[in-house]
């Protein structure tokens, strides 16, 4: 008769744990609750502080009044026309400024004689307050879209230019030397080393440049325009519609935030290895 098997006395392997779903830990990302909390606190203090202190609505309207004015603007077809005009001016001017900055920045960073010749003029022109050029552009290009596009292009040009130059200069010298030893030409070095190293700087310039382009378009509309959000701001100011002014400012802020998030989204896809690059040449 066969003896029964004795139970094993060795350690029992632990049972496999069920797959854990990844939970959102607010301690790791406190901004997820700090940002809305600060917003709610500021709005509440603003709403009730204005009432308690008896501040007139022509000086500082309450947030609820601003929301009402914003809804009034959003339900008005004329407002969307003004929004579209400013958006056109900012985007076209931004595209022109970025294109010119990329081309000129590439030449300056790669050709020393171009850098030695043009940099003194660029530095001198950069010291001029760009906003002060708006009246001159209106005289040259008229009260239409062209003067605002030129203003948006000029004001977004310099942050982009400086970031392109610094980004192309930041290429790893060891990688360039290694590729040179292996027989790579200048175009191959530019494509494989200089351009990837410059991409984070380029996106930093794009991030601030798009905001500056919106600013340039609005400033141009301040000087002389018959349509656009800058023109709408002036109209609400003339009518002492302070809540309406705040409503337009909210729309401009949202435009800047949306543009910023789009640039950051594209950066995460294209230059995901360096998302924390600081902006240069603001």
């Amino acid at each position: 008769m066969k003896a029964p098997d004795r139970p094993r006395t060795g350690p029992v392997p632990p049972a496999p744990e069920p797959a854990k779903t990844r939970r959102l830990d607010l301690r790791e990302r406190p901004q997820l609750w700090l940002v809305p909390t600060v917003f709610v606190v500021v709005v509440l203090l603003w709403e009730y502080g204005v009432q308690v202190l008896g501040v007139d609505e022509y000086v500082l309207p309450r947030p609820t009044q601003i929301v009402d004015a914003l809804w009034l603007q959003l339900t008005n077809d004329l407002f969307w026309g003004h929004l579209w005009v400013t958006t056109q001016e900012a985007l076209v001017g931004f595209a022109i400024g970025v294109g010119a900055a990329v081309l000129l920045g590439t030449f300056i960073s790669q050709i020393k004689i171009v850098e030695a010749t043009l940099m003194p003029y660029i530095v001198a022109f950069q010291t001029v307050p760009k906003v002060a050029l708006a009246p001159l552009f209106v005289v040259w290009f008229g009260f239409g879209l062209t003067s605002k596009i030129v203003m948006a292009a000029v004001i977004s040009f310099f942050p982009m230019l400086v970031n392109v130059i610094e980004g192309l200069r930041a290429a790893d010298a060891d990688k360039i030397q290694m590729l040179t030893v292996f027989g790579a030409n200048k175009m191959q070095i530019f494509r494989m080393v200089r351009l990837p190293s410059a991409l984070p700087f380029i996106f930093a310039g794009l991030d601030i440049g798009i905001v500056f382009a919106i600013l340039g378009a609005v400033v141009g509309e301040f000087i002389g325009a018959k349509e656009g959000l800058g023109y709408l701001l002036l109209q609400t100011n003339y009518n002492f519609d302070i809540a309406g002014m705040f409503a337009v400012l909210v729309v401009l802020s949202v435009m800047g935030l949306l543009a910023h998030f789009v640039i950051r989204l594209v950066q995460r896809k294209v230059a995901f290895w360096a998302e924390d690059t600081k902006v240069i040449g603001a």
Side-chain angles (χ1 to χ4, degrees), residues 35-53 60-67:
V35 172
T37 300
V38 170
F39 176 78
V40 171
V41 170
V42 170
V43 170
L44 290 177
L45 289 175
W46 184 353
E47 177 73 24
Y48 294 103
V50 168
Q51 296 182 23
V52 171
L53 297 176
L60 183 64
R62 301 191 307 273
T64 51
Q65 294 173 323
I66 297 173
V67 171

Side-chain angles (χ1 to χ4, degrees), residues 101-110 115 118-119 122-123 126 157-171 194 197-198 201-202 280:
V102 170
L103 291 176
L104 185 58
T106 302
F107 279 114
I108 289 176
S109 63
Q110 301 302 309
E115 177 182 2
L118 296 183
M119 280 305 294
I122 293 174
V123 172
Q126 189 176 5
F157 170 79
F158 288 98
M160 191 67 196
L161 176 66
V162 177
N163 276 277
V164 170
I165 295 174
E166 293 297 326
L168 293 174
R169 286 175 176 173
R194 295 190 184 276
S197 68
F201 292 85
I202 291 174
I280 300 174

